[in-house]
Amino acid sequence: MAGERKAARTKRGERQLIESILQRVGARAAAARTLAVGIGDDCAVVRPRQGEELVVTTDMSLENVHFRRDWHPPESVGHRCLTRGLSDLAAMGARPEAAFLSLAVPAELTGRWLERFLDGLFALADRVGVPLAGGDTADSHGLVLADIVLLGSVPKGRALLRSGAQAGDIVYVTGTLGGAAAELAALRRDPGAFRRRGAAPHPHLYPEPRLEVGKRLLKRGFATAAIDLSDGLSTDLAHICERSHLAAVIDTESVPIAAGATLDQALHGGEDYELLFTARPGVMIPAKIAGTPVCPIGKMIKRAPRPSSQALVRVLSPEGRQTPLAPKGWEHFRPRRQSGSGSR
Amino acid sequence: MAGERKAARTKRGERQLIESILQRVGARAAAARTLAVGIGDDCAVVRPRQGEELVVTTDMSLENVHFRRDWHPPESVGHRCLTRGLSDLAAMGARPEAAFLSLAVPAELTGRWLERFLDGLFALADRVGVPLAGGDTADSHGLVLADIVLLGSVPKGRALLRSGAQAGDIVYVTGTLGGAAAELAALRRDPGAFRRRGAAPHPHLYPEPRLEVGKRLLKRGFATAAIDLSDGLSTDLAHICERSHLAAVIDTESVPIAAGATLDQALHGGEDYELLFTARPGVMIPAKIAGTPVCPIGKMIKRAPRPSSQALVRVLSPEGRQTPLAPKGWEHFRPRRQSGSGSR
């Protein structure tokens, strides 16, 4: 990690960053199932169990792109950072095995802000039982930059892919949709109200990765394809269509809309981190999986030989009319004066 | 990756970033040895071979911390970004299996600068045979930010660790030391001279990760401990001392100093990315391993019950005097007006 001499120069610089992280790792790593060597060597060593393979995902959380420091409490930034990776594991049906955090923070934030960021991240890490196995740190010159890497395990050859859907499959979602977009809209109107986490659910600030649902889908063999709803239903269902060489029709009346959200937010709002999956029409899918409601919303169909990406997903209106549902992605947290596109 | 709608708004934004990367991945992924699913799903799937386990490392390359755009040609930034991860694999004796790149670039750099960055990165990736298996992208609002994740494979339980050195072991280094620091000093004096990569060796701009040496050390059972020289000999040897609960003495006359470098640069200059390893005194270590010179420079000794970190490594002067060698780390590329410590 850091050179000793340089770190000693700053009161709350990279050394404090490293120490804050190491203090929290301690005993946790001992509980690791596949982590043979954690923080402290050139690499971590991960030892998959017999008959298992590993899935790997990496996701950035950049200030003013993925979050804003004046909108998001530090605990939320840490929670969301880890959720982005865990939700990808959930979509593969994987069990979390190890997390790696690359984190650059300006020196003036390595005190209270950093502690609260780590509070949010480790509260979730502890709850799902994933050890921090490594990473990198740096003093940034202004903005907070985090990149989270998650490793998970799946039985060999059994990972849930986007590419396995078949024509006639039913499309399901977990939970409700649009809640994160609705909370974000409220946050935009009044950032101050969200400084502290209240008792109410916070689908935007504290989304819940659907790890148990994903593992159950894999174990029971329910799903032919799966993805997590990070970019929004219209975009993520199009990803399944693309990878499975199919199209899809959604019945808008069946889409489970979160309390306070609009249909538009449910169709296009991202970062709900629910799971979207397909299953053969003959398979009986329970109304709840691992305690989470599951709801059929449409089906996979064959597609025209050369469809445009705009026409992969169609919606069926209450009047029975089918119209294309263009993938509309998601709005990010960049300051409005700046140009450039956001990313998830 | 990115929402379609937002990406369409910028001429050379995140979409171009993604497309530039995807164009280069194509056929390369097919050569992968353990990569079962690459870019295009929620996670990559990595399938270690029977009897193997995985090592994982993550390293940031941040503009003005690890490189400067006015000093480093884009090809060098890409090469160095990947080298940081590959060198960690080399230090474990691992074979590279998959790379993941998280990359945030301002929209105005997604043209020629990005292409040249990718030229440098993929030239090295192709040479060592590592496929790009995933990552994340974003438009940054100003600076270039990259985080590289490398996965490698080792025979189960055989990874070269920092913790295996024993009292009496001989300390060896590969290649020559201080060359990167010397080239950096020259770069600081005259950045313009380095805009194009000349025929001469460029230990700072284009360091060579010692993958073949690392694999050979593991295979032949030569090394009891190993680390890569990223922070500098004084700091990295102290890491082996700490993890192995030993001290070390270096004979300064034996240290192989790079042409044009000083002893101080050889002892403290970082980023040479040579390997530092220990071996039992009875083991015959060849003068070259995989074509790279290998040189004994000192030995591991028992240490006092509670040594300070300043006193773990001592140097033996030509006059036979032992003096402590404090770990002095490495100077980074931040603009001089800014405060805060750099990191590796």
Side-chain angles (χ1 to χ4, degrees), chain B residues 183-236:
Chain B
E183 187 179 17
L184 177 64
L187 198 60
R188 190 188 296 276
R189 289 191 299 269
D190 182 11
F194 292 89
R195 282 294 156 118
R196 301 226 159 267
R197 180 181 186 176
H202 289 286
H204 173 76
L205 293 175
Y206 298 94
E208 183 65 30
R210 296 298 189 190
L211 287 161
E212 291 306 318
V213 179
K215 281 191 281 183
R216 197 73 65 86
L217 288 176
L218 185 151
K219 196 169 183 182
R220 298 286 299 272
F222 282 147
T224 51
I227 192 171
D228 70 316
L229 288 170
S230 54
D231 288 339
L233 178 61
S234 60
T235 301
D236 290 319

Side-chain angles (χ1 to χ4, degrees), chain A residues 64-66 330-334 339-344, chain B residues 1-3 6-7 10 14 137-139 141:
Chain A
N64 293 347
V65 177
H66 302 94
W330 175 245
E331 197 161 345
H332 283 271
F333 314 107
R334 66 186 192 284
S339 64
S341 81
S343 142
R344 203 98 24 88
Chain B
M1 292 198 174
K6 316 285 303 185
T10 48
E14 195 186 354
T137 58
D139 254 351
H141 302 312

Side-chain angles (χ1 to χ4, degrees), chain B residues 248-261:
Chain B
V249 181
I250 293 172
D251 175 3
T252 52
E253 285 196 301
S254 300
V255 173
I257 303 174

